[in-house]
């Protein structure tokens, strides 16, 4: 339970420490276990680890300079509006691994093909945003389980963030930036509303 109760938003990290690439990849692999709509896994991670790219990111942030300067990595989370391009790969792999019968794959693919043309970009962006929120929280909890601190950052210029990576801005839409590293502060605890403030039983 300490992963949940002791997670803090950390803004100051040990600037001398870099998370090893293989461990960061393991963190992301565990993060990708988060659920997503139709298991289309639309979240894409653009990870900044070099000083040169941190400088490119600086102009896109509205603040959060301490996180930028001291974090091990800045993880920029986008959603892919072309997520259905991966449908066959996802379901074919499930069949190959023996975790999905072939007839279920075929039914799923038919269903996706029948409905995807009815989804406008706004709908795809909404579901991608929802999925991105799930995976961002999973990322922060997985990082905590590995002994690392994080902080979600929503204050950034969306157009400029996409420009940092020279990517297709019609396809990839930015959702969130998460700083990650070895904490160099304790962070602050915070108050949560009581159940009676937010829960109604019917």
């Amino acid at each position: 339970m300490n992963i949940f109760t002791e997670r803090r938003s950390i803004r100051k990290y040990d600037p001398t420490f870099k998370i090893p690439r293989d461990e960061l990849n393991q963190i992301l692999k565990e993060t990708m276990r988060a659920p997503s709509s139709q298991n289309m896994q639309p979240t894409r991670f653009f990870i900044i680890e070099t000083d040169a790219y941190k400088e490119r990111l600086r102009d896109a942030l509205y603040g959060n300079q301490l996180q930028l300067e001291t974090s091990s990595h800045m993880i920029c989370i986008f959603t892919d509006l072309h997520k259905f391009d991966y449908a066959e790969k996802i379901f074919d792999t499930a069949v190959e691994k023996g975790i999905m019968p072939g007839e279920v794959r075929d039914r799923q693919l038919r269903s996706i093909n029948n409905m995807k043309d009815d989804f406008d970009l706004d709908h795809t962006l909404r579901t991608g945003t929802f999925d991105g929120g799930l995976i961002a929280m999973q990322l922060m909890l997985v990082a905590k389980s590995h002994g690392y601190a994080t902080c979600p950052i929503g204050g950034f210029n969306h157009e400029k963030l996409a420009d940092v990576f020279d990517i297709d801005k019609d396809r990839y839409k930015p959702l969130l930036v998460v700083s990650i590293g070895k904490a160099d502060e304790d962070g602050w605890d915070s108050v949560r509303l009581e159940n009676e403030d937010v829960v109604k039983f019917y």
Side-chain angles (χ1 to χ4, degrees):
M1 285 302 297
N2 70 303
I3 293 172
F4 299 95
T5 60
E6 297 178 13
R7 193 207 69 80
R8 304 282 186 269
S9 291
I10 297 297
R11 293 166 176 81
K12 184 182 180 186
Y13 304 88
D14 177 354
T16 68
F17 180 81
K18 280 285 185 187
I19 301 172
R21 176 77 68 86
D22 59 347
E23 186 175 15
L24 187 56
N25 272 318
Q26 181 61 32
I27 288 170
L28 293 169
K29 186 174 183 179
E30 294 166 13
T31 294
M32 287 296 293
R33 296 299 305 171
S36 62
S37 177
Q38 300 174 295
N39 195 30
M40 285 297 96
Q41 306 165 51
T43 309
R44 305 292 177 256
F45 303 93
F46 295 84
I47 300 177
I48 292 178
E49 60 183 358
T50 64
D51 290 340
Y53 266 86
K54 279 191 172 185
E55 284 305 311
R56 291 185 65 168
L57 178 61
R58 187 183 299 277
D59 193 42
L61 298 179
Y62 293 144
N64 307 295
Q65 299 302 312
L66 185 61
Q67 286 131 288
L68 177 67
E69 292 164 2
T70 63
S71 65
S72 172
H73 295 76
M74 297 290 277
I75 301 177
C76 302
I77 299 177
F78 287 68
T79 192
D80 184 355
L81 297 183
H82 293 186
K83 64 181 181 178
F84 292 115
D85 291 352
Y86 288 88
E88 287 190 17
K89 178 177 182 178
I90 291 168
F91 293 125
D92 285 349
T93 302
V95 172
E96 290 168 10
K97 290 181 176 293
I99 59 177
M100 177 181 284
E103 60 269 21
V104 174
R105 172 202 55 196
D106 295 342
R107 187 168 65 245
Q108 291 283 80
L109 288 175
R110 281 197 303 271
S111 175
I112 287 171
N113 285 329
N114 287 337
M115 70 175 63
K116 69 180 182 181
D117 290 337
D118 295 330
F119 291 160
D120 59 24
L121 291 180
D122 285 342
H123 177 275
T124 305
L125 180 57
R126 282 196 304 274
T127 58
T129 302
F130 178 83
D131 292 340
L134 293 174
I135 210 165
M137 191 69 251
Q138 179 116 330
L139 167 63
M140 291 185 284
L141 294 175
V142 169
K144 176 69 175 175
S145 76
H146 281 256
Y148 298 117
T150 56
C151 185
I153 300 169
F156 58 85
N157 183 302
H158 285 223
E159 287 291 319
K160 288 183 177 180
L161 185 65
D163 288 338
V164 169
F165 306 103
D166 299 319
I167 57 177
D168 182 351
K169 290 190 282 189
D170 291 328
R171 175 172 182 170
Y172 301 105
K173 298 299 181 181
L175 303 177
L176 195 68
V177 179
V178 176
S179 59
I180 184 171
K182 182 185 288 187
D184 195 31
E185 64 179 7
D186 293 333
W188 296 94
D189 201 354
S190 56
V191 171
R192 292 296 183 269
L193 293 171
E194 299 294 335
N195 277 16
E196 55 263 31
D197 296 317
V198 299
V199 179
K200 301 292 183 186
F201 288 97
Y202 293 92

